[in-house]
């Protein structure tokens, strides 16, 4: 490996240390309902986001709270020597994509049937570190 390639790899590794992410796949909630909760915490600091999710009455908020705690644990695994309070973690990106659909049939009048689509979603949560305020 050349010197420039090695230096670039080190730069990428350092940049990835600042970011941690967690994924939730095939969550049996419709993407629309999950996005309502995801929009509440997008861009918020981690402490505030946890409080919002804890006291939200939506069912999706429990799943997102668990996902956020997982992302925090992933960040701690990457940065063992740093503390969460000093890092000022925030929700850098949260993306809700549609997952697989279970298709079911419901009986309808006069011998017909209606298709029921049971939706699921995939959530990707990225935490960022805010180092600008430490100067």
């Amino acid at each position: 490996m050349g010197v420039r390639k090695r230096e670039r790899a080190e730069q990428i590794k350092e940049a990835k240390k600042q970011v941690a992410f967690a994924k939730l796949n095939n969550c049996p909630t419709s993407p629309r309902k999950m996005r309502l909760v995801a929009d509440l915490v997008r861009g918020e600091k981690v402490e505030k986001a946890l409080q919002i999710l804890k006291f939200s009455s939506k069912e999706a908020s429990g799943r997102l709270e668990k996902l956020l705690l997982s992302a925090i644990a992933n960040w701690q695994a990457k940065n063992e020597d740093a503390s969460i309070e000093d890092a000022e973690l925030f929700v850098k990106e949260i993306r809700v994509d549609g997952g697989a659909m279970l298709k079911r049939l419901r009986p309808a009048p006069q011998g017909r049937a209606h298709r029921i689509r049971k939706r699921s979603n995939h959530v990707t949560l990225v935490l960022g570190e805010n180092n600008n305020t430490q100067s």
Side-chain angles (χ1 to χ4, degrees), residues 51-113:
Q51 294 301 318
I52 290 170
L53 292 173
K54 188 173 186 74
F55 295 109
S56 175
S57 61
K58 300 270 187 192
E59 189 237 343
S61 64
R63 298 172 198 263
L64 275 185
E65 182 183 7
K66 195 171 179 183
L67 183 68
L68 181 57
L69 290 171
S70 174
I72 293 169
N74 292 343
W75 183 87
Q76 281 180 322
K78 279 186 179 180
N79 304 292
E80 293 169 353
D81 52 333
S83 70
I84 296 175
E85 292 81 21
D86 296 339
E88 294 187 20
L89 292 177
F90 69 102
V91 180
K92 186 174 186 180
E93 178 184 345
I94 184 165
R95 198 169 54 245
V96 180
D97 302 319
M101 269 188 270
L102 295 174
K103 292 180 174 139
R104 300 288 181 260
L105 292 176
R106 164 157 285 166
Q110 299 179 356
R112 290 186 300 240

Side-chain angles (χ1 to χ4, degrees), residues 3 6 10 19 30-31 46-47 51 54 68 76 84 98 103-106 122 129 131:
V3 174
R6 186 178 303 116
E10 289 296 322
V19 175
S30 74
V46 168
E47 295 84 15
Q51 294 301 318
K54 188 173 186 74
L68 181 57
Q76 281 180 322
I84 296 175
K103 292 180 174 139
R104 300 288 181 260
L105 292 176
R106 164 157 285 166
H122 307 310
E129 199 173 313
N131 284 338

Side-chain angles (χ1 to χ4, degrees), residues 3-75:
V3 174
R4 272 184 283 161
K5 197 172 184 181
R6 186 178 303 116
E7 287 174 355
R8 181 69 181 137
E10 289 296 322
Q11 287 175 347
I12 291 171
K13 191 174 179 182
E14 281 300 313
K16 282 188 177 180
K17 253 192 169 179
Q18 309 293 326
V19 175
F21 73 97
K23 280 183 161 184
L24 174 64
N25 286 332
N26 296 319
C27 179
T29 311
S30 74
R32 185 177 180 178
K33 291 177 184 175
M34 187 64 85
R35 280 188 197 108
L36 284 172
V37 181
D39 291 341
L40 293 175
V41 297
R42 184 174 288 119
E44 296 289 344
K45 289 188 176 178
V46 168
E47 295 84 15
K48 187 174 179 187
L50 281 172
Q51 294 301 318
I52 290 170
L53 292 173
K54 188 173 186 74
F55 295 109
S56 175
S57 61
K58 300 270 187 192
E59 189 237 343
S61 64
R63 298 172 198 263
L64 275 185
E65 182 183 7
K66 195 171 179 183
L67 183 68
L68 181 57
L69 290 171
S70 174
I72 293 169
N74 292 343
W75 183 87

